[in-house]
Amino acid sequence: MATINEHYLKLQSGYLFPEIARRVTNYCQSHPDAKVIKMGIGDVTRPLPRAIIDAMHAAVEEMSTSHSFRGYGPEQGYPFLRDAIRDNCYRERNIDIESDEIFISDGSKCDSGNLLDVFGTDNTIAVLDPVYPVYVDTNVMVGRTGDAGANGQYEGLVYLPVNAENNFQPALPNGRVDLIYLCYPNNPTGTVATREMLKTWVDYAHKNQSIIFFDAAYEAFVSDPEIPRSIYEVEGAKEVAIELRSFSKNAGFTGVRCAFTVIPKQLMGHTSDGSPQAIHPLWNRRHCTKFNGVSYPVQRGAAASFSPEGRQQIAELITFYMNNARLLREGLKAAGIEVYGGVNAPYVWLKTPDDLSSWDFFDLLLNESQIVGTPGSGFGASGEGYFRLSAFNSLENTEEAIHRIKSRLADSP
Ligand code: MLT
């Protein structure tokens, strides 16, 4: 008899985004002429920058002759990409990260789940609430939680609420936790962490021998020079933090797939007898055993994002999306809606009008304005009463969405 991993049976309903897609599909089937504007999942809409396309074309051509053809590449990533990341993402900001501390992968979502392979199941986990659901669900899947309670929160996880009342600044956990997930710029709230705030977390991690998973997938959207783009800008972070980064949102790779994880060599976990053990060789072992690397043309494309043309074209993409974020913020505010985020992040987080629940507001926007957003409660109990809109859309759709929301609110009694 083949048994199953019963921890999967603890998972709450469907993963958030497929559930949204299901409701949208149902709506579109019964309203085939509706022009639905999708601002739910943070999926990019602009084409890949030309510098990246050209590099990928050239790499595909290399595959066409026997002298330049490549089979398996290094599992950890080609040196040309690891070096480019080291130089452009770190050394340029005076952060000392070595190329062999950078592991190329097919996505931060996968990395954040896969990382759990090298950590014990007895670790206590802290997440912000609301939170990117992958952090929670992957811990449920490996058995690091109990069952979910009535509010959807899993027994055994430490939830740190972030909301307008605490200015989206999580309090440190009461007591010790072993693994801490931080995502900044934050998904879903679009808020950012100051250097002082990150320093508080790094100090906490040192004091408690904890490890921080720092998801910086949206760092490219930070325009305020005072806001750190890497946790390694904070002194002491290399001893306590893993950083996850992605080409998805800045370079438009959501469909192409390329990301990386930084595991500094001095980052230590512990064996059950309390002996320190470096995480780097464990992750290297895991990566080489379960992963065969990102394809060569994709890595060439990713590396081209650091060329002068690539950087310029990516800067234009970011300006484009952040202009949408600004329009959304301003438009929603003008409609009398309380808005957060959207300044150094491509997500706008809003308080639902008339105290509607997040899903009620989702249904209202879909049914009456044909706009799809993401219900805040889908990211956790503290997201109830909030709603996320993504700036990853065309200018035309963004303007049209604002127009529809304003007219809808003007019509409401
Ligand atoms: C989101 O909408 O939260 C993201 O697109 C999800 C992801 O990057 O996996």
Side-chain angles (χ1 to χ4, degrees):
M1 180 178 72
T3 60
I4 58 154
N5 174 354
E6 292 192 25
H7 299 302
Y8 275 67
L9 303 180
K10 295 176 194 162
L11 291 165
Q12 303 281 287
S13 62
Y15 181 54
L16 174 63
F17 295 108
E19 172 58 21
I20 291 173
R22 191 187 63 76
R23 292 191 190 209
V24 174
T25 304
N26 284 348
Y27 179 84
C28 291
Q29 275 166 358
S30 48
H31 302 82
D33 297 329
K35 185 176 178 303
V36 174
I37 300 179
K38 295 184 181 167
M39 307 179 111
I41 191 163
D43 194 3
V44 294
T45 52
R46 305 286 295 166
L48 291 176
R50 177 42 59 188
I52 291 175
I53 291 286
D54 289 346
M56 288 172 79
H57 274 302
V60 169
E61 269 312 312
E62 281 184 62
M63 293 299 213
S64 71
T65 65
S66 47
H67 79 273
S68 54
F69 169 79
R70 294 172 191 242
Y72 291 125
E75 291 91 343
Q76 302 88 342
Y78 282 101
F80 65 78
L81 180 55
R82 297 172 96 191
D83 291 351
I85 292 169
R86 176 200 60 200
D87 294 345
N88 290 276
C89 300
Y90 296 108
R91 289 212 175 145
E92 196 171 90
R93 304 183 77 79
N94 296 320
I95 299 168
D96 183 22
I97 291 290
E98 294 302 327
S99 296
D100 64 357
E101 295 174 310
I102 297 164
F103 293 84
I104 311 300
S105 76
D106 59 348
S108 291
K109 177 180 181 176
C110 327
D111 280 348
S112 66
N114 292 338
L115 275 171
L116 299 182
D117 277 9
V118 301
F119 290 96
T121 46
D122 50 352
N123 284 303
T124 48
I125 314 290
V127 293
L128 305 196
D129 175 20
V131 65
Y132 179 42
V134 172
Y135 309 154
V136 171
D137 287 2
T138 51
N139 276 289
V140 176
M141 288 170 177
V142 296
R144 210 173 270 123
T145 73
D147 289 325
N151 63 357
Q153 296 194 336
Y154 291 92
E155 197 190 311
L157 285 190
V158 176
Y159 292 89
L160 306 171
V162 281
N163 48 41
E165 285 69 49
N166 62 14
N167 203 19
F168 299 93
Q169 306 288 307
L172 292 177
N174 284 324
R176 205 177 63 81
V177 298
D178 303 307
L179 301 177
I180 302 151
Y181 288 82
L182 296 178
C183 172
Y184 286 107
N186 186 254
N187 179 14
T189 65
T191 56
V192 287
T194 60
R195 201 172 302 275
E196 295 66 40
M197 192 176 145
L198 291 185
K199 175 85 176 92
T200 311
W201 280 107
V202 167
D203 291 347
Y204 171 92
H206 272 279
K207 184 162 159 238
N208 293 284
Q209 297 188 316
S210 322
I211 291 182
I212 298 169
F213 292 177
F214 190 75
D215 185 346
Y218 299 93
E219 57 77 34
F221 296 86
V222 172
S223 55
D224 181 342
E226 294 305 314
I227 299 296
R229 291 171 59 164
S230 162
I231 193 161
Y232 303 126
E233 289 181 43
V234 175
E235 206 190 323
K238 279 171 66 182
E239 287 85 38
V240 295
I242 290 172
E243 182 159 288
L244 299 109
R245 291 236 198 153
S246 171
F247 294 92
S248 281
K249 313 290 161 123
N250 56 346
F253 273 40
T254 52
V256 175
R257 311 305 307 151
C258 195
F260 61 94
T261 289
V262 180
I263 316 255
K265 292 197 191 110
Q266 57 266 63
L267 178 79
M268 294 289 157
H270 291 87
T271 59
S272 51
D273 66 5
S275 315
Q277 166 62 53
I279 302 297
H280 186 277
L282 305 184
W283 180 247
N284 189 49
R285 185 74 170 80
R286 191 258 169 227
H287 209 66
C288 294
T289 303
K290 295 198 180 180
F291 190 59
N292 257 337
V294 173
S295 79
Y296 175 68
V298 166
Q299 291 195 57
R300 278 289 179 203
S305 69
F306 299 117
S307 69
E309 305 74 38
R311 286 174 74 132
Q312 173 61 32
Q313 291 160 11
I314 284 178
E316 284 163 17
L317 274 183
I318 287 168
T319 303
F320 178 89
Y321 290 131
M322 290 312 293
N323 184 52
N324 287 347
R326 181 184 61 77
L327 292 174
L328 277 173
R329 276 176 63 85
E330 290 174 358
L332 292 165
K333 272 189 185 169
I337 294 180
E338 251 178 75
V339 185
Y340 307 93
V343 177
N344 290 291
Y347 294 126
V348 170
W349 186 245
L350 58 102
K351 194 92 193 65
T352 58
D354 304 325
D355 288 329
L356 285 174
S357 78
S358 301
W359 276 111
D360 283 350
F361 188 60
F362 173 91
D363 288 332
L364 181 91
L365 267 195
L366 177 59
N367 289 311
E368 298 195 13
S369 306
Q370 292 74 50
I371 295 169
V372 181
T374 309
S377 57
F379 296 103
S382 298
E384 181 56 277
Y386 290 92
F387 199 77
R388 192 190 78 176
L389 289 174
S390 151
F392 292 119
N393 216 309
S394 64
L395 176 60
E396 187 192 14
N397 277 351
T398 304
E399 287 175 337
E400 172 64 17
I402 295 164
H403 169 72
R404 289 187 198 172
I405 292 173
K406 278 187 171 164
S407 335
R408 166 70 189 73
L409 291 180
D411 289 350
S412 62

